């Protein structure tokens, strides 16, 4: 089965990574395992209007190096997605100036249809001018293919963001691995061993309290997940409001236990919000401060530094994060706490 996804006019490398998604390629479109005649497989080739760095664009979806829902095999990025129409395994491979996408499972057609937005279509860099700042201008020049992704799935992005609240990445990613391996489902098709599709909203809701405890998620965070998945349809409807913004943030924060940081971390991925820096993050303000001024700043200081690029503030953060810049390795470390024995 092939699918012709909707296409927009081609853009240029500095602006909107719009382009064409079609199924007109001959042979194996994805470079992934599996016969091209497999009836469960859906293929497309995305032809962006400018360069797209698949690895850096998709990196925000990876929850640590051992993420069961994200694997890289050679030049192919494999994603296990929970789509509105069911599970999907998706293989994404750059192929010259195009990007080949193949998908398997009940959610395959949906995944292929939305693959261009996942890879940055609609992410408009017009009006983003960093020419007056030497560091950012150089970072942009080195990363012409960086795009902001949009998954078009809110709960799937919100649940792991809740898990990452107020703990180290190591703790949160460990909990993510534990719960996916126990309550996720094996990815369909010829996916790599161990690729796991995350639970549905209903399946998250049925995970017993002691399993959250075993995963290292204390009752506060697990209760927030429960509140979020109970209103999953309403959360998914925020996708109709565009690429994030204050209304989307307010809708997410209307759920007790979700604040600015969690709303931003979610909207960056689900909606492709270009102006949602992670206020309240343990590392981001200091990283921005050191990169832009040579010294650390707090949240207010970060927002002041980013103000000249309002409307594009998350783009600035992503450019800094992908530039290779590292802030000095000193200062307090967040203590790892283990509540599982209590």
């Amino acid at each position: 089965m092939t699918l012709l996804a909707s296409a927009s006019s081609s853009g240029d490398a500095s602006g909107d990574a719009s382009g064409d998604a079609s199924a007109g390629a001959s042979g194996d479109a994805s470079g992934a395992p599996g016969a091209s005649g497999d009836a469960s497989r859906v293929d497309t080739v995305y032809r962006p209007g400018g360069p797209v760095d698949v690895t850096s664009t998709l990196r925000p979806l990876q929850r640590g190096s051992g993420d069961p829902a994200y694997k890289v095999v050679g030049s192919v990025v494999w994603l296990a997605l929970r789509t509105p129409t069911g599970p999907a395994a998706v293989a994404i491979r750059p192929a010259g100036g195009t990007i080949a996408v193949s998908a398997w499972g009940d959610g395959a057609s949906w995944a292929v249809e939305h693959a261009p937005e996942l890879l940055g279509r609609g992410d408009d860099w017009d009006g983003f001018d960093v020419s007056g700042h030497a560091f950012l201008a150089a970072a942009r020049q080195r990363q012409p293919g960086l795009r902001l992704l949009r998954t078009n799935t809110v709960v799937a992005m919100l649940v792991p963001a809740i898990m990452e609240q107020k703990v180290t990445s190591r703790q949160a990613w460990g909990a993510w691995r534990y719960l996916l391996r126990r309550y996720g489902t094996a990815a369909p098709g010829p996916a790599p061993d161990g690729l796991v599709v995350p639970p549905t909203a209903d399946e998250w809701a049925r995970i017993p309290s002691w399993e959250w405890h075993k995963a290292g998620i204390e009752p506060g965070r697990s209760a927030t997940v429960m509140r979020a998945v109970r209103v999953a349809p309403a959360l998914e409807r925020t996708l109709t409001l565009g690429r994030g913004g204050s209304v989307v943030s307010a809708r997410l924060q209307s759920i007790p236990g979700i604040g600015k940081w969690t709303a931003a971390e979610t909207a960056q991925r689900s909606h492709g919000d270009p102006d949602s820096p992670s206020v309240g993050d343990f590392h981001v303000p200091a990283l921005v401060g050191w990169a832009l001024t040579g010294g650390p700043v707090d949240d207010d200081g970060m927002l002041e530094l980013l103000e000249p690029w309002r409307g594009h503030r998350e783009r600035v953060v992503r450019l800094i994060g992908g530039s290779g810049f590292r802030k000095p390795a000193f200062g307090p470390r967040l203590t790892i706490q283990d509540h599982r024995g209590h």
Side-chain angles (χ1 to χ4, degrees):
M1 177 181 179
T2 57
L3 180 142
L4 182 64
S6 59
S8 59
S9 59
S10 295
D12 59 48
S14 64
D16 179 4
S18 61
D20 173 76
S22 66
S26 60
D28 183 345
S30 72
S36 59
D38 183 350
S40 68
R41 172 173 168 170
V42 183
D43 295 304
T44 195
V45 175
Y46 174 45
R47 297 175 175 86
V52 175
D53 185 325
V54 170
T55 300
S56 62
T57 297
L58 296 179
R59 185 171 292 123
L61 297 181
Q62 186 177 21
R63 310 286 177 172
S65 59
D67 186 350
Y70 186 112
K71 292 183 180 291
V72 179
V73 181
S75 63
V76 181
V77 177
W78 283 89
L79 304 176
L81 302 180
R82 176 62 65 181
T83 81
T85 59
V90 183
I92 301 172
R93 180 177 63 85
T98 67
I99 303 171
V101 182
S102 294
W104 293 261
D106 292 342
S109 292
W110 188 97
V112 164
E113 179 184 357
H114 291 84
E117 283 194 290
L118 186 68
L119 293 163
R121 189 174 72 181
D123 175 32
D124 187 0
W125 290 64
D126 288 343
F128 179 57
D129 183 7
V130 292
S131 60
H133 194 286
F135 174 87
L136 292 176
R140 179 60 178 151
Q141 186 175 22
R142 290 195 301 270
Q143 302 173 82
L146 175 64
R147 301 294 167 190
L148 302 188
L149 62 86
R150 175 182 165 102
T151 66
N152 285 288
T153 54
V154 181
V155 170
M157 299 298 104
L158 177 57
V159 170
I162 294 170
M163 290 187 190
E164 292 172 0
Q165 291 175 344
K166 300 180 181 179
V167 295
T168 66
S169 296
R170 177 182 172 185
Q171 287 174 293
W173 294 341
W176 176 249
R177 290 193 300 269
Y178 175 84
L179 291 170
L180 256 62
R181 288 168 180 162
R182 287 188 66 83
Y183 293 98
T185 55
D193 289 343
L195 192 70
V196 178
V197 179
T200 65
D202 288 343
E203 289 166 345
W204 282 119
R206 291 197 295 268
I207 296 177
S209 60
W210 58 86
E211 288 284 27
W212 292 99
H213 188 70
K214 287 181 181 178
I217 303 292
E218 84 288 344
R221 282 183 291 157
S222 62
T224 300
V225 172
M226 296 300 105
R227 287 190 289 267
V229 297
R230 281 198 292 268
V231 295
L235 293 174
E236 301 300 336
R237 286 195 293 271
T238 65
L239 293 166
T240 65
L241 299 173
R243 300 185 75 89
S246 60
V247 175
V248 170
S249 181
R251 297 272 180 93
L252 292 171
Q253 291 183 63
S254 69
I255 299 170
I258 295 177
K260 289 183 179 180
W261 182 89
T262 307
E265 289 284 313
T266 302
Q268 290 163 13
R269 296 164 173 82
S270 58
H271 295 72
D273 192 337
D275 196 42
S276 58
S278 299
V279 173
D281 194 271
F282 188 72
H283 299 288
V284 171
L287 178 67
V288 170
W290 279 104
L292 299 186
T293 68
V297 296
D298 58 12
D299 284 327
D300 290 340
M302 176 182 72
L303 293 176
E304 183 178 351
L305 290 174
L306 295 177
E307 182 60 29
W309 299 282
R310 177 173 285 275
H312 302 275
R313 291 176 295 179
E314 177 60 15
R315 297 190 204 284
V316 176
V317 176
R318 288 292 308 283
L319 278 179
I320 296 171
S323 70
F325 177 84
R326 297 291 181 268
K327 62 183 177 68
F330 56 77
R333 293 176 178 267
L334 188 62
T335 303
I336 295 178
Q337 300 181 29
D338 189 344
H339 302 283
R340 289 172 293 181
H342 302 287

